[in-house]
Amino acid sequence: MRVISAEEVACHLSWEGLISRLHATFVNGVESPPRHHHAMHRPDGEATMLLMPAWEAAGYIGVKMVNVFPQNADHGVPAISGLYLLSEGKHGQPLACIDGSELTRRRTAAASALAAQALAKESAETLLVVGTGKLAPMVIEAHASVRPIKRVMIWGRNASKAEAIAQAYATRFTTEVVDDLAVAVAQADIVSCVTLSTQPLIKGEWLTPGTHLDLIGAFRPQMRETDAECLRRAEVFVDTYAGAQGEAGDILQAIDEGAFRFEDIQAELAEVLSGAKPGRIADDTITLFKSVGASLEDLAAAIEVWESLPGQAG
């Protein structure tokens, strides 16, 4: 069994290849039981363990284990860590143990970029990233691979982290750190939220016609990055219905407030990509994509890494 480091994952997961692999996997489908979600009570706060299995009907088998420790931010340690075990499908023998953190970051950003291909305006040039964690650079790169991004705004509670991201991408885009979210949201073509917030950061009244709102961070019912007005004003899409119904705090809390119904969701991503349901239908439509992560994304990313390694045939 091969151990694949974070550096190797980054090297072998091109955005074009990963997004293409995700597209095919969403359309073709895999077996993906509901993920196991375990709350862990730690001495310094709440943490979460996620177990996410998936397998192809006659191919690869995989499972990811992820630990989420929001309190790690206070210690300068990444909040999310994990690993992915990929096995071959004929005999179930392990092939590789893959760094799960880098795999997760890249597949998460790639899934949002894949959704943006169908939901964001083709002319989208201005991206607002809300959050300064490890996912922030990933969503900049992923969205820029599918839309002609020229300007990137970064908002975060930690100004030094926001400035570091802005400086890192200053040679590729016009970058700036913003402190007024209302003004920044009104100027953005794509707003990508990558936080662990439990309180709304984005208000629906700030959204302008044509905006695409990409909600990545909140993955538990108690979390949310938007108020209910965002969902009321937007055409809402999700990565999977099952994930949204069980874990999408933005949606579940808006439903609890009487501002939204689950039936108001326009489609899950596979339906849009297969052509069964439409994505964006007009330039002035406000679209919202809510993802909580799906095990099929991890399996797709793990296969892409494995088959991209020297000497590994598809």
Side-chain angles (χ1 to χ4, degrees):
M1 182 177 69
R2 180 165 178 174
V3 176
I4 302 175
S5 68
E7 292 74 20
E8 288 179 289
V9 172
C11 178
H12 293 287
L13 273 188
S14 71
W15 294 112
E16 180 181 3
L18 177 54
I19 291 170
S20 176
R21 175 81 66 170
L22 282 172
H23 187 288
T25 304
F26 268 105
V27 172
N28 296 331
V30 298
E31 294 293 327
S32 53
R35 67 182 176 189
H36 301 260
H37 191 291
H38 302 283
M40 299 186 293
H41 307 290
R42 314 306 294 173
D44 57 349
E46 293 290 318
T48 306
M49 176 188 288
L50 305 174
L51 299 173
M52 305 172 66
W55 57 89
E56 296 178 321
Y60 293 99
I61 302 164
V63 63
K64 185 175 75 172
M65 185 191 82
V66 175
N67 295 323
V68 183
F69 279 60
Q71 59 270 39
N72 283 356
D74 298 332
H75 307 285
V77 178
I80 299 174
S81 61
L83 55 84
Y84 198 91
L85 180 63
L86 182 69
S87 301
E88 51 85 21
K90 186 174 182 179
H91 302 292
Q93 298 301 297
L95 296 171
C97 181
I98 306 170
D99 181 90
S101 298
E102 190 67 18
L103 191 82
T104 299
R105 285 192 287 271
R106 289 180 177 268
R107 68 79 156 150
T108 300
S112 280
L114 178 61
Q117 285 184 320
L119 302 177
K121 292 185 298 185
E122 291 189 10
S123 61
E125 296 183 346
T126 300
L127 170 67
L128 168 62
V129 179
V130 179
T132 57
K134 295 290 187 178
L135 258 174
M138 299 290 97
V139 297
I140 294 173
E141 295 180 12
H143 282 301
S145 75
V146 300
R147 286 295 181 264
I149 301 298
K150 296 179 180 178
R151 179 188 179 197
V152 177
M153 299 180 285
I154 302 105
W155 178 93
R157 293 190 174 95
N158 187 314
S160 63
K161 288 185 178 180
E163 184 60 40
I165 295 170
Q167 289 297 322
Y169 287 93
T171 59
R172 291 178 55 187
F173 312 99
T174 299
T175 62
E176 61 185 293
V177 175
V178 297
D179 55 17
D180 190 326
L181 265 180
V183 172
V185 169
Q187 296 175 354
D189 297 312
I190 300 174
V191 178
S192 188
C193 297
V194 286
T195 76
L196 296 175
S197 179
T198 57
Q199 300 295 325
L201 298 171
I202 308 299
K203 295 184 178 180
E205 65 189 59
W206 300 343
L207 299 173
T208 54
T211 301
H212 174 59
L213 186 53
D214 173 37
L215 305 180
I216 299 174
F219 64 93
R220 295 177 66 177
Q222 300 81 9
M223 297 175 173
R224 71 190 304 185
E225 297 176 302
T226 59
D227 66 4
E229 182 69 4
C230 286
L231 280 83
R232 193 192 66 79
R233 293 191 62 196
E235 298 288 296
V236 177
F237 301 81
V238 297
D239 51 354
T240 66
Y241 289 125
Q245 193 164 31
E247 300 176 318
D250 293 89
I251 293 174
L252 298 175
Q253 292 185 50
I255 291 173
D256 288 343
E257 294 166 6
F260 191 75
R261 301 176 305 161
F262 196 81
E263 295 76 20
D264 293 330
I265 294 173
Q266 298 297 307
E268 64 178 2
L269 188 53
E271 293 174 319
V272 175
L273 298 178
S274 67
K277 292 185 179 180
R280 172 176 289 273
I281 57 176
D283 270 358
D284 61 354
T285 301
I286 296 172
T287 53
L288 184 155
F289 177 65
K290 175 57 194 160
S291 65
V292 295
S295 57
L296 70 87
E297 299 168 11
D298 299 298
L299 181 61
I303 295 170
E304 183 67 18
V305 170
W306 177 254
E307 294 190 352
S308 297
L309 293 172
Q312 301 299 336

